[in-house]
Amino acid sequence: MKLDLAKTDRHYYDAPAEPVLRTFRTCNYATVSGVGAPLGDAYTEAVSTLYRAAYGAKKIAKAEGNDFVVPKLEGLWWVESDRPALEVPRDEWHWTMMIRMPDPVTPDMVSGATFEQLTEGDAIQIMHRGPYATEPETLARMEAFMAEHHLTMNGRHHEIYLSDPRRTQDAAMRTLLRHPVRPLS
């Protein structure tokens, strides 16, 4: 039987349309990092490399009796500037694209990408519905939630792409948005 993290870890892969505070444990990922616009050449090559690494790990795990469904693409996004991210040209955005790896996968099974652990702990999570271009509206609701609950960012902006933009109409797109947070001091 294949392990499908999207089905066994709903806490991680689902959220309501309004922000909620959740706590996330340490998870393993295959990752590739870079700089550049989403869908630019560097990004596209990184995602391709990442999927090759994930499917390579899946093949090895399956041969060892630990088959799994390759999880959804995820990304950590940030800018190296004091300006708000949306004011920075997209070709200056930094990213780490990730695919979560189930526990049976070990670093030596991930070839061509980096094997990393990420512990986000407390985080605000929300389901964004619609095109990526309308994410600022959803992010504003997350900011309001943080202000109301006296929280501040404690990590990088995290997105989990539940829809494939090549096969899904913009209005039907689903993207989980997550901000690791801590109490304001």
Side-chain angles (χ1 to χ4, degrees):
M1 186 162 123
K2 284 186 190 180
L3 172 63
D4 186 346
L5 292 173
K7 292 180 180 172
T8 61
D9 194 355
R10 301 295 296 163
H11 175 80
Y12 186 94
Y13 289 101
D14 195 19
E18 292 304 320
V20 292
L21 183 62
R22 293 194 172 158
T23 302
F24 296 96
R25 66 177 182 84
T26 301
C27 294
N28 300 326
Y29 300 87
T31 70
V32 177
S33 297
V35 178
L39 303 180
D41 291 343
Y43 174 89
T44 302
E45 179 56 33
V47 170
S48 185
T49 297
L50 185 57
Y51 273 108
R52 280 193 302 275
Y55 277 96
K58 172 190 169 52
K59 181 178 179 181
I60 294 168
K62 182 177 180 179
E64 294 178 357
N66 295 309
D67 197 8
F68 64 93
V69 175
V70 172
K72 301 293 185 179
L73 179 67
E74 304 183 35
L76 301 178
W77 296 87
W78 70 99
V79 296
E80 300 285 330
S81 170
D82 292 335
R83 295 180 294 167
L86 296 176
E87 293 179 11
V88 174
R90 294 165 66 107
D91 61 347
E92 295 176 25
W93 288 3
H94 292 252
W95 37 261
T96 297
M97 302 314 297
M98 316 183 304
I99 297 177
R100 190 171 163 197
M101 294 285 102
D103 290 337
V105 174
T106 60
D108 60 313
M109 298 165 105
V110 176
S111 178
T114 304
F115 184 89
E116 293 186 50
Q117 290 189 321
L118 176 65
T119 306
E120 289 180 302
D122 292 337
I124 296 170
Q125 184 158 290
I126 188 172
M127 180 69 70
H128 171 74
R129 294 185 184 273
Y132 301 132
T134 62
E135 279 187 18
E137 299 159 15
T138 305
L139 293 170
R141 294 201 323 269
M142 294 174 79
E143 293 288 332
F145 183 94
M146 288 192 324
E148 178 183 343
H149 293 87
H150 309 287
L151 301 168
T152 189
M153 288 286 290
N154 191 36
R156 297 192 168 132
H157 171 71
H158 187 163
E159 298 186 352
I160 303 172
Y161 308 103
L162 300 178
S163 302
D164 182 341
R166 298 169 300 172
R167 296 184 177 101
T168 308
Q169 300 266 336
D170 277 354
M173 293 284 291
R174 294 180 333 124
T175 307
L176 281 173
L177 304 182
R178 184 182 297 164
H179 283 168
V181 294
R182 63 176 169 75
L184 280 170
S185 0

